[in-house]
Amino acid sequence: MGNERKWTQLWLKYDRRQKEYDADLGRVNVSGFGEDTVEKKVLESALKEWKRGFEGYTGKSVTEDTAAEEAGLRILKDASVPAEGYVIEVTDPSHVVVKASEAKGVLYGIFALLRAMGLEQELSEAAGSFSPSNPLRMLNHWDNMSGDIERGYSGNSFFFKDGEILVGDRTRDYARFISSVGINAIVINNVNVKQQATWLITDRYFDKVSELSRILEEYGVKLFLSLNYAACMEIGGLDSADPMDPKVIAWWKERMKEVFARIPNLGGFLVKADSEGRPGPFTYGRTQADGANMLADIVKEYDALIIWRCFVYNCQQDWRDLKTDRARAGYDNFKPMDGDYHENVILQIKNGPMDFQIREPVSPLLGGLTKTNQMLEVQIAQEYTGHQIDVCYLIPMFKEVLDFKTYCAPENDTVADVVSGRAFGNKNAGMAAVCNTGDDENWTGNDLAAANLYGFGRLAFDMELTSEAIAEEWAGLTFENKSEVKKTVVTILLPSRKVYEKYTSPLGIGWMVRPHDHYGCSVDGYEYDRWGTYHRADHLGIGVDRSHNGTGYALQYHQPNADMYDDPETCPEELLLFFHHVSYDKVLKSGKTLIQHIYDSHFEGYDEAVALRDQWKSLEGQIENRCYENVAERFERQLYNAREWKDQVNSYFFRKSGIPDEKNREIY
Amino acid sequence: MGNERKWTQLWLKYDRRQKEYDADLGRVNVSGFGEDTVEKKVLESALKEWKRGFEGYTGKSVTEDTAAEEAGLRILKDASVPAEGYVIEVTDPSHVVVKASEAKGVLYGIFALLRAMGLEQELSEAAGSFSPSNPLRMLNHWDNMSGDIERGYSGNSFFFKDGEILVGDRTRDYARFISSVGINAIVINNVNVKQQATWLITDRYFDKVSELSRILEEYGVKLFLSLNYAACMEIGGLDSADPMDPKVIAWWKERMKEVFARIPNLGGFLVKADSEGRPGPFTYGRTQADGANMLADIVKEYDALIIWRCFVYNCQQDWRDLKTDRARAGYDNFKPMDGDYHENVILQIKNGPMDFQIREPVSPLLGGLTKTNQMLEVQIAQEYTGHQIDVCYLIPMFKEVLDFKTYCAPENDTVADVVSGRAFGNKNAGMAAVCNTGDDENWTGNDLAAANLYGFGRLAFDMELTSEAIAEEWAGLTFENKSEVKKTVVTILLPSRKVYEKYTSPLGIGWMVRPHDHYGCSVDGYEYDRWGTYHRADHLGIGVDRSHNGTGYALQYHQPNADMYDDPETCPEELLLFFHHVSYDKVLKSGKTLIQHIYDSHFEGYDEAVALRDQWKSLEGQIENRCYENVAERFERQLYNAREWKDQVNSYFFRKSGIPDEKNREIY
């Protein structure tokens, strides 16, 4: 990877701000950290970042190795600070102390100081003791070694091209960005591991993978790889991948020995098995636990993890079959083995039971499992939420998920409690996001989509942060912190998920997207297909009965959630069609009929999208033109998309129900 | 192209038959043909074929150059025989004379004799005077130079691979096959001319194109190329393709001079302009006639033709727009210039106004134009008719089209009259088929699909042949002529188009196919899209009003057709939904309501497909196993497809109308 392409610096632009900071802070003293090479490298990253940021924001210079008594910024080792945590003490504007028990904490502390400076705050606002909410704060890249990205909307991969691994300045910048928001692990290759990617665990790629891993290590980021469960057959030449087969176990042992000898900073592996055509233990009559534990036992001696995805369902369903329910599959497949998974296995569970729709209930596996390490998987790649063409700030959705009370325990029972490990005392736990980056100049296709990358990291580090606070931070750091610009951007971001929801599929039913690419409306696109994704609309009503009368999915939740979802009268209305088949003439809490709600929300959603676009237009001339044009162009495509959704959904239901819009608006 | 792959000999297997023919017919005398090299080559092809065929069918040997008085087969030049025609005289079983005015007639005569032998007929049954119904009998290959085939269902191209031209034994066999059924022209490259294919008219490819063309020439087949209308820009570097621009004209003149100097046996060009994103004269405010005539004037001195496709319509339609009607587009775009096209321009018109659906009315352009050379375009590539997975013998459809009375003249007014040139005395006219071949071992994916290739050629040569006669010929030649096998195959072929129609979209409405690939059911797949392909179903009824109350399309026909289509009471029922929006409760001539007709025909169509499959199964062990398995496997896929169509269409309309099936069969 050369420097032929330019890329932006996202929220680390460090461009000169109005607010002045004391020049003394440019004099830095570090003490107490030992001779460990990795620690030194991480400290070096922190100091380089301080130099870059402080000089950028203030125009004043930084000198390291100042004597302790003359330093404005003192960095001290303090073993009492929790792992990955940091303490910032601000005596006065010219004296700041950062304490940490390891270099990574220093790095996070420095980024916290720079964040405060970018937001033109007093440094005392950054003071306090901080440590991450989640042990693992992870990004999953679905990058293929060919260079394309599955569900990528920001160009091609910056990790891979034509079967080779790219390492360079862009890798380092990426490590800086994600480290600055607290990400501590990434998976660089697609969970669908095919072709060359299967060979990442062989000598063919060790050198380059190591080089990449070393850069990540300097920023406190562990490297993970997605593993092909059938690698022992595809590259090992075995005739089986049975996790009980001694030959299979021996092959993996040998392989892992070499892998961990050759790749530094390797945290473990992510595995998608028995899912959507991927091989797995089911082929051999074994359980998911058998498969995960086999690998976990082998990598245990390297302190490594096996992160096992729970996205296992029948993707060859007959649409005529009303009994099978894809929503049930995760719980049905994984709950029976709760307690069987070994300590260094983590089950990675998508936020909802289906697949990253704009509105789903929380997966009943989250907190449904009580004796198993769990990790929450969300998707900031906007597969079903507008392809980074439509603006959709997802942090409010993630907050809803984290705040959901699972009733898995008498207290500390929210999803946040479960995935942070608080609920059951797990050490191996956390949050992962399917990433939204690519080699586009602005990294995320739509400049505004970077708010999801920033926001996911910040939220995973500190689950108490509000959506609004995160949006304000990101906007302030990205857009020079002028108050009217920041305010406008935040005003666009905050409602954007609701707006997207309004003009797309109604009340939790999901889907209705164009098959394959998942952008744009096709109400029946998946209705007669094999993916288990149905709305069951007829001339009288719509929705899937997942109550005890139907598929029984609602009963997978702990009480009182099960009863709440089971009864259409207590089911939260935004999920009504997910859980119940409802007549078009049913009157909702708003006093509107269901059909009128569908019409109204679609007209409103489109109008609100127009309003978001208009707000963006007010920024012309006030922000960098490249960014303005990038988002403005996407807003035009969003409006086209929103209009199609509105008119297609409304026409579909009008044609099907024959019930006219009360307000006589145009429906086709 | 090497010989690494095997391929079948289709209907030219020439395998030993029961019926004996006199050994004297192996003694051949040729007289009267001159020294012209091309004529000699064609004669040589005829003699080689006789040797191959006669020896194969009879086991007896062939000697050429027998003295006239001792010859059993005499081949004579007779200038009174019409061009491309032949006369066969059979004095007794050991004396046959073939007369023709040109070698191509001899070739056709020899193939006719071999056909009779393959069918175990007396040769006297082949006696008579024959000449082709249509001047041009053409195949259009949609082969890309990369090697893939647009809408190809039989493997990859045998003309192109990785940007290069393939010439070899397979080319020659293909020339034999198509010559044997009377094809006299082919276009080897896709009408969507892109990338390397634009360069086919440059020195880069002249040598290989010439080599290929010489082989075709030996079998009386003219080579045509598809032309990129913007070639003068893409390879000529001009900034315009305006047909009135002297620079553009000069470029084409120069290019054509070289092309015709370098490529032998070149008949001219096929052009898709201003269609589905292809460039054309509309870009410059010129008419289609301006574009076609410019090129035609330039190639006139080489006796070449410009075949100009009429597939011009707005493919960016708004589905909300009820006024624009894609069906109208061909007539609206081409009729106003009737009479303006020069003599060596032929307009190539698809059989229907839409795009090769299983049921469409005949295009009103056919016979609507009265002062313009016209050619009928049909599609034997089964794009919308089952992808050569589902059996669909298309000759009955083509017969319906040819027999359609256009009322363009007091007599000789059928489509057959128009495209043969009889109606208006055109010399440049004929029939073209989008071809269904590829490099699969059996050439056509499904062995039974070869009946369409065979049948198209035979029908284009002799439009009086019945669908049944053609099916019997093909089945007899392909399957060793055992009477029960032939009968079973014919019994499968003849109803297959009706069966396909029954289980797919009802009463002429068309579409309802999966977008992009066009296989399988998706009732709303194109309903809210930009292609002008709508069914307009709501909870009360379905169909497009193309009467005078609607888009007015019906009025594009000559009377009395216009009135017939305009009135739902006289409109042929199989086209009812193409022309009218009809209530589900409308009672059809059968006494059934429309909705009941939809249900019944879909249940019947599926059952009939099962019956076809069962008939095929009865052939196991009686025919070559490769062929049996090939078709048997496809029949299973056809049944899967038919079941999906049946259930999806029925469920769609039941869910939309709420009207139950009178017979209470299972609808989902």
Side-chain angles (χ1 to χ4, degrees):
Chain A
M1 182 164 52
N3 286 321
E4 60 289 89
R5 280 198 72 182
K6 290 281 191 191
W7 53 85
T8 68
Q9 287 292 316
L10 295 171
W11 53 87
L12 299 186
K13 282 192 289 191
Y14 301 141
D15 45 353
R16 188 75 174 86
R17 301 273 146 152
Q18 299 297 312
K19 184 164 172 66
E20 295 296 336
Y21 293 94
D22 200 301
D24 286 355
L25 298 172
R27 294 206 299 277
V28 186
N29 173 274
V30 183
S31 67
F33 291 89
E35 286 306 303
D36 178 90
T37 320
V38 173
E39 283 286 277
K40 277 181 123 168
K41 285 274 188 189
V42 176
L43 266 182
E44 213 171 273
S45 299
L47 292 174
K48 268 199 288 194
E49 203 65 31
W50 180 249
K51 185 172 165 64
R52 184 172 185 156
F54 185 80
E55 292 184 353
Y57 280 143
T58 66
K60 296 164 187 169
S61 63
V62 169
T63 36
E64 298 173 24
D65 302 324
T66 310
E69 55 281 12
E70 290 175 18
L73 174 62
R74 290 189 63 199
I75 294 169
L76 300 177
K77 174 132 178 174
D78 178 346
S80 72
V81 177
E84 299 191 295
Y86 60 92
V87 173
I88 294 178
E89 294 167 358
V90 181
T91 330
D92 60 62
S94 59
H95 287 92
V96 173
V97 180
V98 176
K99 295 181 191 167
S101 59
E102 54 176 332
K104 207 198 281 192
V106 175
L107 187 62
Y108 292 155
I110 292 296
F111 278 122
L113 287 174
L114 290 171
R115 189 158 53 237
M117 292 176 69
L119 296 171
E120 300 175 280
Q121 298 169 343
E122 297 301 331
L123 292 188
S124 56
E125 291 190 48
S129 297
F130 304 89
S131 65
S133 311
N134 287 288
L136 273 167
R137 307 172 300 281
M138 196 164 195
L139 294 171
N140 291 182
H141 288 270
W142 286 358
D143 293 23
N144 294 317
M145 289 199 68
S146 59
D148 63 311
I149 301 177
E150 185 162 333
R151 311 303 175 186
Y153 313 107
S154 317
N156 291 316
S157 176
F158 47 77
F159 291 126
F160 305 113
K161 187 178 179 180
D162 300 334
E164 298 302 326
I165 296 169
L166 306 174
V167 188
D169 291 344
R170 191 152 191 168
T171 322
R172 183 170 298 275
D173 269 353
Y174 187 61
R176 292 172 52 232
F177 298 145
I178 62 177
S179 178
S180 78
V181 291
I183 296 295
N184 67 352
I186 65 172
V187 187
I188 57 171
N189 64 310
N190 190 355
V191 289
N192 294 313
V193 185
K194 295 177 189 171
Q195 282 106 33
Q196 300 112 318
T198 304
W199 295 79
L200 279 170
I201 53 169
T202 71
D203 187 53
R204 190 189 290 179
Y205 295 111
F206 283 152
D207 287 346
K208 274 289 186 184
V209 173
S210 300
E211 203 184 324
L212 198 160
S213 190
R214 290 256 184 244
I215 292 177
L216 297 175
E217 188 175 42
E218 291 171 20
Y219 290 90
V221 178
K222 278 269 181 198
L223 173 72
F224 282 71
L225 296 174
S226 292
L227 210 62
N228 182 342
Y229 187 80
C232 56
M233 300 169 75
E234 289 181 33
I235 62 180
L238 302 188
D239 57 3
S240 164
D242 181 351
M244 302 301 200
D245 183 336
K247 287 195 309 295
V248 171
I249 296 167
W251 187 86
W252 279 113
K253 271 198 176 140
E254 190 55 34
R255 185 90 326 260
M256 286 303 167
K257 191 173 164 189
E258 197 185 350
V259 164
F260 282 95
R262 297 287 301 277
I263 307 178
N265 183 42
L266 183 63
F269 301 94
L270 178 64
V271 188
K272 175 180 182 177
D274 288 309
S275 172
E276 297 182 334
R278 298 280 76 208
F282 280 169
T283 313
Y284 306 97
R286 311 300 183 185
T287 66
Q288 297 296 302
D290 292 334
N293 291 338
M294 181 271 287
L295 290 169
D297 291 351
I298 293 170
V299 303
K300 195 176 168 191
E301 64 179 293
Y302 313 106
D303 267 341
L305 299 170
I306 297 297
I307 302 176
W308 194 267
R309 293 178 90 229
C310 294
F311 191 50
V312 176
Y313 68 99
N314 174 11
C315 68
Q316 297 285 349
Q317 189 175 332
D318 189 332
W319 58 268
R320 301 167 190 83
D321 169 9
L322 297 173
K323 299 240 162 57
T324 304
D325 181 2
R326 169 170 168 178
R328 291 188 59 107
Y331 193 91
D332 285 345
N333 281 313
F334 287 89
K335 174 65 182 171
M337 293 158 291
D338 190 16
D340 294 348
Y341 299 91
H342 294 178
E343 172 55 24
N344 61 332
V345 173
I346 307 179
L347 295 190
Q348 184 166 304
I349 303 165
K350 292 193 183 195
N351 62 278
M354 298 298 278
D355 193 14
F356 301 134
Q357 302 303 293
I358 189 67
R359 174 75 65 178
E360 291 187 45
V362 167
S363 168
L365 262 183
L366 289 161
L369 299 170
T370 58
K371 292 168 276 182
T372 300
N373 294 324
Q374 293 162 66
M375 215 164 137
L376 171 65
E377 178 179 319
V378 297
Q379 190 185 41
I380 57 175
Q382 290 175 233
E383 177 178 358
Y384 295 98
T385 53
H387 282 203
Q388 290 144 242
I389 297 164
D390 300 28
V391 179
C392 193
Y393 178 60
L394 291 162
I395 308 304
M397 181 201 290
F398 304 159
K399 290 288 290 184
E400 285 174 13
V401 172
L402 291 171
D403 291 346
F404 180 74
K405 215 171 146 55
T406 70
Y407 297 99
C408 65
E411 55 183 6
N412 290 337
D413 65 342
T414 65
V415 170
D417 293 321
V418 170
V419 301
S420 64
R422 285 192 298 253
F424 307 113
N426 312 68
K427 187 168 73 67
N428 293 324
M431 288 173 66
V434 179
C435 201
N436 62 354
T437 53
D439 72 355
D440 273 1
E441 182 182 4
N442 68 356
W443 299 85
T444 56
N446 188 325
D447 273 61
L448 295 182
N452 289 323
L453 178 60
Y454 181 91
F456 170 76
R458 292 287 290 138
L459 184 63
F461 194 94
D462 182 357
M463 295 196 283
E464 301 299 311
L465 287 173
T466 65
S467 299
E468 193 166 0
I470 292 172
E472 282 178 358
E473 276 185 22
W474 174 79
L477 295 171
T478 304
F479 294 101
E480 299 171 42
N481 204 38
K482 282 183 201 162
S483 70
E484 73 273 36
V485 171
K486 184 160 85 173
K487 194 172 153 197
T488 303
V489 171
V490 171
T491 312
I492 290 169
L493 290 178
L494 284 179
S496 59
R497 180 251 185 154
K498 277 272 188 195
V499 171
Y500 187 85
E501 183 182 21
K502 276 179 149 181
Y503 64 71
T504 59
S505 66
L507 299 182
I509 192 70
W511 309 96
M512 303 191 175
V513 292
R514 194 162 59 205
H516 308 302
D517 81 344
H518 301 165
Y519 186 75
C521 181
S522 178
V523 178
D524 274 358
Y526 277 116
E527 187 61 14
Y528 301 96
D529 215 328
R530 64 184 174 86
W531 298 95
T533 51
Y534 314 114
H535 56 63
R536 308 289 188 197
D538 62 17
H539 69 297
L540 297 174
I542 175 178
V544 180
D545 187 350
R546 292 188 164 104
S547 75
H548 67 285
N549 295 315
T551 71
Y553 164 80
L555 309 180
Q556 291 185 335
Y557 290 88
H558 294 290
Q559 290 295 13
N561 287 339
D563 282 351
M564 173 184 71
Y565 288 134
D566 197 52
D567 181 348
E569 298 309 314
T570 56
C571 180
E573 227 158 46
E574 71 268 17
L575 288 168
L576 188 60
L577 302 181
F578 190 93
F579 283 98
H580 300 280
H581 188 86
V582 179
S583 280
Y584 295 125
D585 57 7
K586 180 187 165 77
V587 177
L588 303 181
K589 298 195 179 88
S590 59
K592 292 176 184 178
T593 60
L594 170 60
I595 189 85
Q596 193 58 41
H597 170 85
I598 292 175
Y599 296 149
D600 286 352
S601 61
H602 283 79
F603 282 111
E604 286 165 23
Y606 174 73
D607 290 346
E608 289 167 14
V610 172
L612 296 184
R613 188 267 317 262
D614 291 345
Q615 288 182 68
W616 182 259
K617 285 201 143 183
S618 75
L619 295 179
E620 187 169 10
Q622 296 192 66
I623 59 172
E624 185 198 356
N625 198 50
R626 181 208 57 71
C627 169
Y628 174 78
E629 293 293 345
N630 167 276
V631 177
E633 185 267 342
R634 279 170 168 75
F635 260 125
E636 295 311 316
R637 286 151 73 192
Q638 174 170 5
L639 292 193
Y640 182 89
N641 188 40
R643 179 165 173 256
E644 284 299 319
W645 271 98
K646 162 184 71 100
D647 287 341
Q648 289 189 34
V649 168
N650 285 346
S651 297
Y652 180 95
F653 287 103
F654 172 63
R655 291 185 191 182
K656 203 152 202 161
S657 70
I659 303 171
D661 171 37
E662 283 173 4
K663 299 180 191 162
N664 277 313
R665 289 163 293 195
E666 191 150 24
I667 295 180
Y668 302 88
Chain B
M1 182 165 52
N3 286 322
E4 60 289 88
R5 281 199 70 181
K6 290 279 187 192
W7 52 86
T8 68
Q9 287 291 316
L10 294 172
W11 53 87
L12 299 186
K13 282 193 288 194
Y14 300 142
D15 45 353
R16 189 73 176 87
R17 301 273 145 152
Q18 299 297 312
K19 184 164 171 66
E20 295 296 336
Y21 293 93
D22 201 299
D24 287 355
L25 298 172
R27 294 206 298 275
V28 186
N29 173 274
V30 183
S31 67
F33 291 89
E35 287 306 302
D36 178 272
T37 321
V38 172
E39 282 287 277
K40 277 181 125 171
K41 285 274 188 188
V42 176
L43 265 182
E44 215 171 87
S45 299
L47 292 174
K48 270 198 287 193
E49 202 66 31
W50 180 249
K51 186 172 165 63
R52 184 172 185 158
F54 185 79
E55 293 184 354
Y57 280 144
T58 66
K60 297 164 186 170
S61 64
V62 167
T63 36
E64 296 173 24
D65 300 326
T66 311
E69 54 281 14
E70 288 173 21
L73 174 63
R74 291 189 63 199
I75 293 168
L76 300 176
K77 173 129 178 175
D78 179 346
S80 72
V81 178
E84 298 192 296
Y86 61 91
V87 174
I88 294 178
E89 292 167 358
V90 181
T91 329
D92 61 60
S94 59
H95 287 92
V96 173
V97 180
V98 176
K99 294 181 191 166
S101 59
E102 54 175 333
K104 205 198 282 190
V106 174
L107 187 62
Y108 292 155
I110 292 296
F111 277 122
L113 287 173
L114 290 170
R115 189 157 56 235
M117 292 175 69
L119 297 170
E120 300 176 280
Q121 297 168 343
E122 297 301 331
L123 293 187
S124 55
E125 290 190 49
S129 298
F130 303 89
S131 65
S133 309
N134 287 290
L136 272 168
R137 306 172 302 280
M138 197 163 195
L139 294 171
N140 291 181
H141 289 269
W142 286 359
D143 293 22
N144 294 319
M145 290 199 69
S146 58
D148 63 310
I149 301 177
E150 184 161 332
R151 310 303 175 189
Y153 313 107
S154 316
N156 291 316
S157 175
F158 46 76
F159 291 126
F160 306 112
K161 187 178 178 181
D162 300 334
E164 298 303 326
I165 296 168
L166 306 174
V167 188
D169 292 346
R170 191 152 191 168
T171 321
R172 184 171 296 276
D173 269 355
Y174 187 61
R176 291 172 52 232
F177 298 145
I178 61 176
S179 178
S180 77
V181 291
I183 296 295
N184 67 353
I186 64 172
V187 187
I188 57 170
N189 63 310
N190 189 355
V191 288
N192 293 315
V193 185
K194 295 178 190 171
Q195 279 105 33
Q196 300 111 320
T198 304
W199 296 78
L200 278 170
I201 53 169
T202 70
D203 187 53
R204 189 190 291 181
Y205 294 111
F206 282 150
D207 288 344
K208 274 289 188 184
V209 172
S210 299
E211 204 184 323
L212 198 160
S213 190
R214 290 258 184 242
I215 293 176
L216 297 174
E217 187 175 42
E218 291 171 21
Y219 290 89
V221 178
K222 278 271 180 196
L223 173 73
F224 283 70
L225 296 173
S226 292
L227 211 62
N228 181 341
Y229 186 79
C232 56
M233 299 169 76
E234 288 181 32
I235 63 180
L238 302 188
D239 57 3
S240 163
D242 180 350
M244 300 303 199
D245 182 335
K247 287 196 308 295
V248 171
I249 297 167
W251 187 86
W252 279 111
K253 270 198 174 142
E254 190 55 32
R255 187 90 324 262
M256 287 303 166
K257 192 173 164 191
E258 197 185 350
V259 165
F260 283 94
R262 297 289 300 277
I263 307 178
N265 183 42
L266 182 64
F269 301 94
L270 178 64
V271 187
K272 176 180 182 178
D274 288 309
S275 172
E276 297 181 333
R278 298 281 75 208
F282 280 169
T283 313
Y284 306 97
R286 310 301 183 183
T287 67
Q288 298 296 301
D290 293 334
N293 290 339
M294 181 272 285
L295 290 169
D297 292 349
I298 292 171
V299 302
K300 197 177 169 192
E301 64 178 295
Y302 312 106
D303 265 342
L305 299 171
I306 296 298
I307 302 176
W308 194 266
R309 292 178 90 231
C310 294
F311 191 50
V312 176
Y313 68 98
N314 174 9
C315 67
Q316 297 285 353
Q317 191 177 331
D318 189 332
W319 58 270
R320 303 166 188 83
D321 169 10
L322 298 172
K323 299 240 163 58
T324 304
D325 181 3
R326 170 169 166 177
R328 291 188 58 108
Y331 194 92
D332 285 344
N333 281 314
F334 286 90
K335 174 66 181 170
M337 293 159 291
D338 189 16
D340 294 347
Y341 299 91
H342 294 180
E343 173 55 23
N344 62 333
V345 173
I346 307 180
L347 295 190
Q348 184 166 305
I349 304 164
K350 292 194 183 196
N351 61 278
M354 298 298 278
D355 193 15
F356 300 134
Q357 301 303 293
I358 189 67
R359 175 74 65 180
E360 292 187 43
V362 167
S363 168
L365 262 184
L366 290 161
L369 299 170
T370 58
K371 293 169 276 182
T372 300
N373 294 323
Q374 293 163 67
M375 217 164 136
L376 172 65
E377 178 179 319
V378 296
Q379 190 185 42
I380 57 176
Q382 290 175 233
E383 177 178 355
Y384 295 98
T385 54
H387 282 206
Q388 290 143 243
I389 298 164
D390 301 29
V391 179
C392 192
Y393 178 58
L394 291 162
I395 309 303
M397 182 201 288
F398 303 160
K399 290 288 291 182
E400 285 174 13
V401 172
L402 292 171
D403 292 347
F404 180 73
K405 219 171 143 53
T406 68
Y407 297 98
C408 66
E411 54 183 7
N412 290 336
D413 65 343
T414 65
V415 170
D417 293 321
V418 171
V419 301
S420 64
R422 285 192 299 252
F424 307 113
N426 312 68
K427 188 166 69 64
N428 292 325
M431 287 172 68
V434 179
C435 201
N436 62 354
T437 54
D439 72 354
D440 273 2
E441 182 183 6
N442 68 357
W443 299 85
T444 55
N446 188 326
D447 273 60
L448 294 183
N452 289 324
L453 178 60
Y454 180 92
F456 170 76
R458 292 286 290 135
L459 184 64
F461 194 92
D462 182 358
M463 294 196 282
E464 301 299 311
L465 287 172
T466 66
S467 298
E468 194 166 1
I470 292 171
E472 283 178 356
E473 277 184 19
W474 176 78
L477 295 170
T478 304
F479 294 100
E480 300 172 40
N481 204 39
K482 282 184 201 163
S483 70
E484 72 273 38
V485 171
K486 185 160 87 175
K487 197 173 151 195
T488 302
V489 172
V490 171
T491 311
I492 290 169
L493 290 178
L494 284 178
S496 60
R497 180 250 184 153
K498 278 270 189 198
V499 171
Y500 187 87
E501 184 181 21
K502 276 178 149 182
Y503 64 71
T504 58
S505 66
L507 299 181
I509 192 70
W511 308 97
M512 303 191 176
V513 291
R514 194 163 58 205
H516 309 303
D517 82 344
H518 300 165
Y519 186 75
C521 181
S522 179
V523 178
D524 274 358
Y526 278 117
E527 187 61 14
Y528 301 95
D529 214 329
R530 64 183 173 87
W531 299 95
T533 52
Y534 313 113
H535 56 63
R536 308 290 187 196
D538 62 18
H539 69 298
L540 297 174
I542 176 178
V544 180
D545 187 350
R546 292 187 164 106
S547 74
H548 68 283
N549 294 318
T551 71
Y553 164 80
L555 308 181
Q556 292 185 335
Y557 290 88
H558 293 289
Q559 289 296 13
N561 287 340
D563 282 351
M564 174 185 70
Y565 288 132
D566 196 52
D567 181 349
E569 298 309 315
T570 55
C571 180
E573 228 159 45
E574 71 269 16
L575 289 168
L576 188 59
L577 302 181
F578 190 92
F579 283 99
H580 300 281
H581 188 86
V582 179
S583 279
Y584 295 125
D585 58 7
K586 179 186 166 77
V587 178
L588 304 182
K589 297 193 180 88
S590 60
K592 292 175 185 177
T593 59
L594 170 61
I595 190 84
Q596 194 57 39
H597 169 86
I598 291 175
Y599 296 149
D600 286 353
S601 61
H602 283 78
F603 283 112
E604 287 165 23
Y606 175 72
D607 290 346
E608 290 167 13
V610 172
L612 296 184
R613 188 269 314 263
D614 291 345
Q615 289 182 68
W616 183 258
K617 286 200 145 184
S618 75
L619 295 179
E620 188 168 11
Q622 298 192 64
I623 60 172
E624 185 199 357
N625 198 51
R626 182 208 56 75
C627 169
Y628 174 78
E629 292 294 344
N630 167 275
V631 177
E633 185 268 342
R634 279 172 169 73
F635 260 124
E636 296 310 316
R637 285 152 71 192
Q638 174 169 7
L639 292 194
Y640 181 89
N641 187 40
R643 179 165 174 258
E644 284 298 318
W645 271 98
K646 162 184 70 102
D647 287 341
Q648 289 189 34
V649 169
N650 285 346
S651 297
Y652 180 95
F653 287 103
F654 172 62
R655 291 187 190 181
K656 202 151 204 162
S657 70
I659 303 171
D661 172 36
E662 284 172 2
K663 299 180 190 162
N664 277 314
R665 290 163 293 194
E666 191 151 22
I667 294 180
Y668 302 88

